[in-house]
Amino acid sequence: METVIEKDIVIVGAGIAGLTTSLGLHRLGIESLVLESSDSLRVSGFALTVWENAWKALDVVGVGDILRHQHLQLHGNVTTSLVMGQQTSSTSFIDNKGKYGAREVRCIGRNLLLEALANELPSGTIRYMSKVVAIQESGFSKILHLGDGTTIKTKV
């Protein structure tokens, strides 16, 4: 049986960008639907380094403090040549007053980032097992056809 859903905003993919976009819209009072083709959140890669501008964005959507409590702040970076075995460069994340706050840099687990974003979204925002197989234009709307026979009419 075919199901027809109407949503103003549909986001395809429950990755970092999709969940952050949905959460940002939610914080503004705008509802969205996130479609994910797998049966759960998927993580590609283990971790990523998050610098100060990314922390500002995570603070805006409300998950910065959650993630800060789970990850240590980095004090600097050292690059070593695998051929020579010698240090080739180093970068300190300490400001000129000896404080770490000026450059907030942390290496965070991708799975923890995805979980923090997903946990802040209202129930039902993420729809799993929703593979988009076709997209049609219909005037100002788009019609998404999913693999399970569901049709979603959306503006964005």
Side-chain angles (χ1 to χ4, degrees), residues 77-90:
N77 180 46
V78 175
T79 304
T80 303
S81 168
L82 292 175
V83 176
M84 302 296 287
Q86 295 176 345
Q87 178 179 322
T88 58
S89 67
S90 67

Side-chain angles (χ1 to χ4, degrees), residues 7 9 12 16 33 35 38 44-45 60 63 126 128-129 142:
K7 288 286 183 180
I9 300 173
V12 178
I16 295 169
L33 175 66
L35 302 177
S38 69
S44 60
V60 168
V63 297
I126 304 171
Y128 296 100
M129 301 299 292
K142 305 287 186 257

Side-chain angles (χ1 to χ4, degrees), residues 12 132-137 142-145:
V12 178
V132 176
V133 294
I135 301 174
Q136 278 181 276
E137 291 198 37
K142 305 287 186 257
I143 300 173
L144 286 76
H145 298 277

Side-chain angles (χ1 to χ4, degrees), residues 54-111:
W55 284 108
K56 289 176 185 175
L58 292 170
D59 287 336
V60 168
V61 296
V63 297
D65 285 338
I66 294 166
L67 293 166
R68 277 185 187 92
H69 293 299
Q70 297 172 325
H71 300 88
L72 297 175
Q73 188 163 349
L74 302 178
H75 299 209
N77 180 46
V78 175
T79 304
T80 303
S81 168
L82 292 175
V83 176
M84 302 296 287
Q86 295 176 345
Q87 178 179 322
T88 58
S89 67
S90 67
T91 304
S92 175
F93 301 146
I94 303 171
D95 68 8
N96 58 5
K97 296 177 184 172
K99 296 185 180 178
Y100 295 104
R103 289 192 185 148
E104 182 177 9
V105 181
R106 297 169 195 263
C107 185
I108 63 174
R110 288 177 184 263
N111 61 330

